[in-house]
Amino acid sequence: MAPTRIDVKPGDLIEISRGIYQHWAIYIGGMEVVHLTTPNSDFWMALDTTGKVKRENIRDVVGNDRFKVNNLLDDKYQPRERDIIVKEACSMVGLKMPYCIVTRNCEHFVTDLRYGIPESRQVIRAAEIGGAALVGVGIVALGAALFASLLKDDSKEESREERREPRRERRRHYNWQQ
């Protein structure tokens, strides 16, 4: 949905849904945003590369994707003054910067401009999901190892039974003194 009329103020964070991830920009007024982009639009290729700060019309950045104003950390941090945010964002246009989807992505970029602290909730969320998945995999692996161990113990018992010699009759002890 291309933006037609949005209730946005300079310095607000714009979250743009790109399917499996969100792209972030900062609104500077006049239907323009500043955002950190990568030369390769492939999300997975942006693990560790160089990004570029661009100033573009919000319509061009959003395209047909869904978007919303999301000042997600206002409850955690005090936002900086709007004019300072806009001035700093505009001064960075054209800069090339290190880009990493885990430590220096577009969300880190805009939260640093708005709050003075680079933070990415989608990275935190992904780490939590990945950690939970890792725990799940660990539990499954532990369960499989335990199950295999039980099967191994059962087969050992069966092997012992098969190897035992047939029972012999008890020897009779005679009392030689009779």
Side-chain angles (χ1 to χ4, degrees):
M1 104 177 140
T4 51
R5 182 176 162 357
I6 55 173
D7 184 25
V8 62
K9 298 176 194 86
D12 282 345
L13 304 181
I14 308 295
E15 178 183 4
I16 305 157
S17 178
R18 298 279 201 239
I20 61 169
Y21 72 99
Q22 288 75 42
H23 181 63
W24 291 83
I26 195 144
Y27 187 74
I28 59 168
M31 294 300 286
E32 289 187 311
V33 295
V34 171
H35 61 127
L36 180 62
T37 65
T38 58
N40 188 340
S41 62
D42 186 358
F43 177 70
W44 301 111
M45 295 304 291
L47 289 172
D48 192 13
T49 188
T50 300
K52 185 174 182 181
V53 180
K54 291 184 178 180
R55 178 179 181 165
E56 298 183 88
N57 186 289
I58 191 169
R59 287 183 182 98
D60 296 334
V61 176
V62 170
N64 291 323
D65 294 325
R66 291 188 345 234
F67 74 100
K68 64 182 176 181
V69 173
N70 187 357
N71 297 319
L72 70 162
L73 299 173
D74 279 7
D75 59 334
K76 188 174 179 181
Y77 305 118
Q78 177 69 36
R80 299 165 67 205
E81 296 293 322
R82 291 183 183 279
D83 59 330
I84 293 171
I85 297 169
V86 171
K87 185 178 179 179
E88 190 172 321
C90 291
S91 73
M92 298 177 81
V93 172
L95 290 179
K96 291 187 177 187
M97 304 175 69
Y99 186 99
C100 174
I101 61 172
V102 177
T103 60
R104 298 179 71 111
N105 65 34
C106 57
E107 186 178 2
H108 289 104
F109 175 74
V110 297
T111 56
D112 192 26
L113 284 168
R114 183 167 174 85
Y115 307 106
I117 298 167
E119 190 170 307
S120 176
R121 290 246 173 121
Q122 64 186 332
V123 168
I124 293 167
R125 210 171 28 255
E128 289 169 350
I129 291 168
L134 190 57
V135 168
V137 167
I139 289 171
V140 168
L142 184 61
L146 182 60
F147 184 69
S149 173
L150 291 172
L151 287 177
K152 187 176 178 183
D153 286 346
D154 283 349
S155 65
K156 277 185 182 177
E157 190 64 35
E158 287 173 10
S159 294
R160 281 191 203 122
E161 288 293 325
E162 290 171 3
R163 283 189 309 223
R164 283 191 186 146
E165 295 177 18
R167 285 191 165 200
R168 295 183 188 160
E169 286 188 35
R170 279 187 157 180
R171 285 189 173 182
R172 295 186 186 175
H173 294 282
Y174 294 101
N175 185 347
W176 294 100
Q177 295 181 357
Q178 279 185 359

